[in-house]
Amino acid sequence: MEFKTKGIMRYFLIIILGLFLWTGCNDDDEKLTPSTEPEFRYVLPQGNHDYDTKIVSWYEDCGIYFLYKFEDKDVYYNENDRWAGFVDDTMQINDGELAFYNAGLRVELPDEEYVGKQLEWIEKLFLNHYSKELLKKKMVKKVILAKNVTYCYRLGNKDLAEQERDYFSNIANTLIFSHGDASVEDLTNEDLFEIKNDLHKWMLTEKLVDDYPMAELEDFLSVTDYSKTLSADYYEEWMAEGWLGRLANSEEAAKSEDIRTYVEMIITTPREMLEIDVNSISYPDPLFWVIGDYDYAGFLHPSMDVAGNIKKKYDLIVAAFKDWGVDLPVIGENSYRGLVRVS
C-alpha cells in the first residue's frame, strides 16, 4: 500500500511538472503588447446647466468626476468587497424561485434643478478648504450627486427597513451625497454644521491619516510624555501633559490618536468656544445650551488647560497643518451659532 501511494504521488508530480513546462514553453514567439483599448473615462459635461462648467473645472483641476447621471455600477461597485447596493430579487432554480437580498445602500438620481445648490454647499463646506494639489493627490476620484442615500435591509419578519437619509456615504473610491432635490433648500444651519464636521473628520482623521506631515509634527509630539498614556495611574496628569485621549496600548498608537484628537477638536470647535470658561456658564444663560453641542468646549481655558500644554500643542499642530496646506481653525470657525461669548 505504501509503494502504491508513493507511485501515485510520483505520477501526479510528473503530470504537474509536464503541464508547467508545456505552458512555459508554449507560444515562444508571441510577444506581449500594450492594450490599444482607451482607458475608461466618464464623459463630461453630462448636460448644459450652469453648474456643468464647475464640474468640468473640478475634473480638469483635480481629476475628480462629479456625476449626477449614473448607473448602479457607478455607485455600488466596491472593488474587492461585496456589492454595496441593496438587492431584493429572485432567482429561477429549476421549477422554483429562490428569493434573495443583499443589505446595502439605495441611491436615487437627483432632481437636476437642485444639483447646482447641492454642489455649492459641498464646495463651501468641504472642498474649498483644501488645496487643489492635495485634492488631486488624495481626494476620491468619483463623487456622486444623488437625491437620496439610504441604507436598506430586511427585518426578521421580512419587512423592508430603510434608515433615515444620510448626508453622504463613501464606498471604496467613491463619495455619494444626498439632497440633490428640493430638500437642499431646507437644510438648517444645524444640518450644515453636522455635515461639515462629518465630512472633515472623514477627510482628516480617516482618509489622510497616512499622509500627515509627521516631520512638521515632531515638536507637537515632543510636548507629551506618551509613556504616561499607557497607565491609568497617571490619569490625573493626562490633561496637564496635553493628552486628551484614553488609555493607550502603545506609545506609537497614542501619538497617532493624539494627532487625530487634536485635529478633530480644532475642526469641530470654534476658537472662542475652546477658550470659554464652561464653569462660569449656567442656566438660563443661552450659552448653557450651546456648550452641550461641543465636546471640546473650554479645553483651552486655564481651568482645564492647567499647564498650558493643550494650548501649546494647539498652536504647534495648527502651524504644521497650515504649512501642509490645511487651515484647521478656519474649518472650525464654520459654526452654526453666533452666541459664543468669551469670559
Side-chain angles (χ1 to χ4, degrees):
M1 179 62 72
E2 182 181 355
F3 173 81
K4 184 176 180 180
T5 302
K6 288 182 178 179
I8 292 172
M9 291 177 64
R10 188 180 298 111
Y11 174 72
F12 277 112
L13 286 172
I14 292 172
I15 291 176
I16 292 170
L17 180 60
L19 287 171
F20 176 80
L21 292 173
W22 179 76
T23 55
C25 297
N26 192 35
D27 296 328
D28 268 346
D29 296 329
E30 185 177 346
K31 296 182 179 179
L32 295 175
T33 57
S35 172
T36 57
E37 293 294 323
E39 182 181 351
F40 173 77
R41 286 193 174 104
Y42 293 102
V43 177
L44 297 177
Q46 293 185 306
N48 58 358
H49 310 84
D50 290 342
Y51 55 77
D52 279 293
T53 303
K54 280 186 177 182
I55 288 175
V56 171
S57 294
W58 276 112
Y59 175 72
E60 291 176 344
D61 294 341
C62 303
I64 304 170
Y65 287 105
F66 283 85
L67 305 177
Y68 57 87
K69 296 178 181 178
F70 48 84
E71 300 176 12
D72 286 354
K73 61 182 175 60
D74 303 321
V75 181
Y76 303 127
Y77 175 67
N78 202 8
E79 294 185 357
N80 298 322
D81 208 338
R82 67 177 183 84
W83 184 257
F86 176 74
V87 178
D88 192 4
D89 209 342
T90 58
M91 180 184 296
Q92 191 70 31
I93 304 293
N94 297 325
D95 295 330
E97 284 189 341
L98 175 66
F100 66 93
Y101 87 98
N102 176 63
L105 295 179
R106 176 180 285 169
V107 178
E108 298 179 66
L109 288 166
D111 182 338
E112 294 181 20
E113 178 183 350
Y114 297 95
V115 168
K117 291 185 177 180
Q118 181 187 31
L119 179 58
E120 185 178 332
W121 68 252
I122 294 171
E123 291 174 322
K124 181 179 179 180
L125 293 180
F126 179 46
L127 296 176
N128 291 348
H129 291 282
Y130 302 91
S131 68
K132 290 184 177 179
E133 181 182 0
L134 184 60
L135 291 172
K136 187 173 184 178
K137 290 180 180 178
K138 300 300 178 182
M139 179 62 178
V140 298
K141 296 309 177 187
K142 184 169 55 180
V143 176
I144 300 295
L145 302 174
K147 176 182 178 180
N148 282 329
V149 181
T150 55
Y151 186 80
C152 299
Y153 57 96
R154 289 286 184 191
L155 300 172
N157 59 6
K158 306 302 182 185
D159 286 343
L160 177 65
E162 187 169 4
Q163 293 182 351
E164 186 177 351
R165 169 162 55 179
D166 289 328
Y167 295 125
F168 74 96
S169 186
N170 65 290
I171 302 172
N173 204 31
T174 302
L175 199 57
I176 310 163
F177 285 97
S178 274
H179 296 288
D181 61 0
S183 69
V184 73
E185 297 184 333
D186 298 324
L187 291 172
T188 65
N189 286 337
E190 287 86 348
D191 292 330
L192 295 173
F193 179 70
E194 184 178 349
I195 294 170
K196 182 269 294 187
N197 284 347
D198 288 347
L199 277 170
H200 288 291
K201 283 192 288 185
W202 169 77
M203 185 70 162
L204 287 168
T205 66
E206 295 180 33
K207 182 73 175 170
L208 297 179
V209 166
D210 294 334
D211 300 286
Y212 283 162
M214 296 307 296
E216 290 79 4
L217 287 167
E218 287 183 4
D219 288 342
F220 167 87
L221 296 172
S222 69
V223 175
T224 299
D225 179 357
Y226 289 101
S227 66
K228 293 183 178 181
T229 70
L230 308 181
S231 172
D233 293 340
Y234 296 100
Y235 175 78
E236 299 295 334
E237 300 179 35
W238 283 356
M239 291 287 280
E241 286 284 339
W243 170 249
L244 309 180
R246 303 174 180 176
L247 190 65
N249 294 322
S250 69
E251 290 190 32
E252 286 305 309
K255 291 177 181 179
S256 179
E257 180 184 346
D258 203 19
I259 297 171
R260 292 196 305 272
T261 300
Y262 270 82
V263 167
E264 179 178 320
M265 176 180 74
I266 298 167
I267 65 176
T268 61
T269 319
R271 177 67 179 262
E272 294 87 350
M273 185 57 69
L274 288 170
E275 294 176 340
I276 200 168
D277 181 5
V278 296
N279 297 317
S280 69
I281 307 300
S282 59
Y283 182 81
D285 190 320
L287 281 176
F288 178 80
W289 303 108
V290 177
I291 289 172
D293 295 327
Y294 296 96
D295 293 335
Y296 300 97
F299 274 44
L300 294 186
H301 191 274
S303 62
M304 297 181 72
D305 187 18
V306 292
N309 280 328
I310 299 176
K311 171 65 166 56
K312 183 177 182 179
K313 292 175 70 173
Y314 173 98
D315 291 337
L316 289 170
I317 197 170
V318 165
F321 271 78
K322 194 165 187 177
D323 288 343
W324 192 44
V326 180
D327 197 329
L328 299 177
V330 170
I331 297 173
E333 290 306 316
N334 276 338
S335 169
Y336 70 89
R337 305 229 191 202
L339 299 173
V340 177
R341 179 188 65 208
V342 180
S343 299

